[in-house]
Amino acid sequence: MASKGRSQEPKFDMLSIVIINWNTLGMLRDCLASVLSNLGTLDAETIVVDNASSDGSADMVAEEFPEVVLIRNTDNVGFAAANNQAMKIAKGDYVLLLNSDTLVHGDVLEKSKAYMDAHPELGIMGCRVHNADGSLQPTCSRFPTLLNLVLLTSGLWKLPWPAFFDRYQMRRWKREDERDVEVVAGCYMFARAEAISQVGMLDESFFFFGEETDWCRRFQLKGWGLRFAPVGVISHFGGGSSGSLNYKRDLMLTSATVRLHRKHYGMASAITAWLILSTFNVSRALYWSLRGLVSNDKAVLARREHFVTLARNLGRAWPSERSYAGE
């Protein structure tokens, strides 16, 4: 079958682990150490793409992990483009997209590959993810349709009944059983190379956020299954590359969600998605502004500043080729 962007070299019975880094030196070091110490019997390659970090991350990889394939970018090309760079040279019949702010535990890599081997209908799978304190991180979800966005932004998902209100992020699901899902969390995406060849690479118009959701949607449209399977555990600390973006992170999330709707459902859906998310953020700005009038609590004032600044910039959340990450 013809490949769309991937190398034409023959694939081997191995796993290609792809990690994108941008100024997460310490977490990247820990992530690589956990990966390399938990490969078990797997034949694997690890590829790190550094998006022009300024913290010495790339030099650390070269010096401390010489067995890792390192790609140094002179500019921050974004998450999607960097992953595509790695996938084009990946040799495995499976590709794992793994965040740099994660730790791999036990035999999750071996069990993930075994699970995919046993389920050839699957294009992507995800595993159980824990927060830093060991609590469950509710990864994997449905697609962010307009209905799901309304349920999320209105807070209806918090109500204990009916269960339908929790359909988007499925927070009440304990992730103890395998289940078909619409979106696999981007921090751990175990993908089949054959499926990638059919579906194509990540869409590089998504600079940061949304690209994995779009990819999952495209896998489904090509007939590939997506599944969560509790085959093992990773830890995901979150905010590794985006933690310093403050309100810009929410702008990029909004922009990515609107772009998803414009791509898959059309302009009317995109406009509605923007209005839903903008209404939510403006209401938060008003709420925290009122709280700030009667409180000098630093946390309250910080939230007021965050949402007020976000509300003032919502026009920039309409997707364009402009990136907010580098400003």
Side-chain angles (χ1 to χ4, degrees):
M1 189 170 296
S3 171
K4 298 181 179 180
R6 289 178 56 84
S7 168
Q8 296 298 317
E9 296 180 5
K11 303 301 169 187
F12 304 96
D13 185 23
M14 68 179 295
L15 170 64
S16 297
I17 302 170
V18 175
I19 303 171
I20 309 306
N21 175 70
W22 184 59
N23 293 323
T24 63
L25 189 152
M27 287 187 287
L28 176 61
R29 175 188 285 121
D30 293 341
C31 176
L32 287 172
S34 73
V35 166
L36 297 176
S37 63
N38 287 295
L39 289 175
T41 61
L42 285 178
D43 183 13
E45 64 174 353
T46 303
I47 306 171
V48 170
V49 183
D50 183 76
N51 265 336
S53 295
S54 59
D55 64 350
S57 298
D59 289 339
M60 180 275 294
V61 174
E63 294 171 6
E64 300 182 22
F65 301 95
E67 65 270 57
V68 169
V69 178
L70 175 63
I71 299 175
R72 297 176 185 250
N73 285 332
T74 56
D75 298 297
N76 185 353
V77 300
F79 184 78
N83 271 298
N84 288 346
Q85 282 181 277
M87 286 192 283
K88 287 176 182 177
I89 65 169
K91 298 176 181 178
D93 52 351
Y94 294 110
V95 176
L96 171 62
L97 305 190
L98 183 69
N99 277 16
S100 64
D101 57 349
T102 61
L103 294 177
V104 171
H105 301 298
D107 55 1
V108 62
L109 297 174
E110 288 182 291
K111 286 187 174 180
S112 293
K113 183 179 182 300
Y115 191 90
M116 291 290 280
D117 285 343
H119 297 84
E121 75 280 5
L122 297 181
I124 300 178
M125 70 157 288
C127 73
R128 193 174 172 87
V129 180
H130 286 177
N131 293 303
D133 61 2
S135 60
L136 177 67
Q137 194 170 117
T139 55
C140 299
S141 67
R142 292 178 182 266
F143 194 81
T145 61
L146 295 178
L147 171 61
N148 288 336
L149 289 178
V150 169
L151 292 173
L152 177 68
T153 58
S154 66
L156 288 172
W157 66 272
K158 298 179 182 179
L159 297 178
W161 183 88
F164 174 83
F165 287 162
D166 188 42
R167 68 191 302 272
Y168 177 25
Q169 296 180 331
M170 300 178 281
R171 291 178 179 270
R172 298 188 189 103
W173 172 34
K174 301 303 182 183
R175 271 67 176 179
E176 295 174 344
D177 59 304
E178 59 187 78
R179 184 178 299 191
D180 289 335
V181 295
E182 293 179 352
V183 178
V184 172
C187 63
Y188 187 95
M189 298 185 78
F190 206 104
R192 189 181 305 275
E194 177 190 356
I196 296 174
S197 294
Q198 293 183 28
V199 173
M201 297 288 189
L202 290 164
D203 184 344
E204 296 181 12
S205 66
F206 294 88
F207 182 84
F208 201 84
F209 300 124
E211 58 282 301
E212 74 279 5
T213 304
D214 168 70
W215 213 31
C216 288
R217 180 71 173 162
R218 288 158 51 205
F219 270 79
Q220 286 182 307
L221 292 175
K222 287 290 186 179
W224 289 97
L226 290 84
R227 185 171 299 163
F228 168 89
V231 296
V233 176
I234 70 163
S235 294
H236 180 217
F237 300 103
S241 293
S242 61
S244 63
L245 298 178
N246 52 71
Y247 79 91
K248 295 177 185 177
R249 177 181 184 275
D250 285 350
L251 278 179
M252 289 196 296
L253 278 168
T254 299
S255 180
T257 303
V258 174
R259 186 183 294 276
L260 283 168
H261 279 265
R262 188 168 71 179
K263 178 175 181 177
H264 293 285
Y265 298 117
M267 183 61 73
S269 183
I271 293 172
T272 305
W274 183 86
L275 289 172
I276 291 171
L277 295 172
S278 295
T279 299
F280 169 76
N281 285 311
V282 170
S283 69
R284 294 293 86 195
L286 291 173
Y287 172 78
W288 289 109
S289 292
L290 291 174
R291 285 281 302 273
L293 292 176
V294 297
S295 173
N296 289 320
D297 183 85
K298 290 183 178 180
V300 172
L301 297 179
R303 285 180 176 270
R304 180 184 67 181
E305 178 65 20
H306 172 83
F307 282 105
V308 168
T309 305
L310 180 57
R312 288 173 177 167
N313 287 275
L314 282 170
R316 298 172 59 206
W318 185 260
S320 66
E321 296 308 311
R322 183 179 184 181
S323 166
Y324 309 115
E327 296 183 6

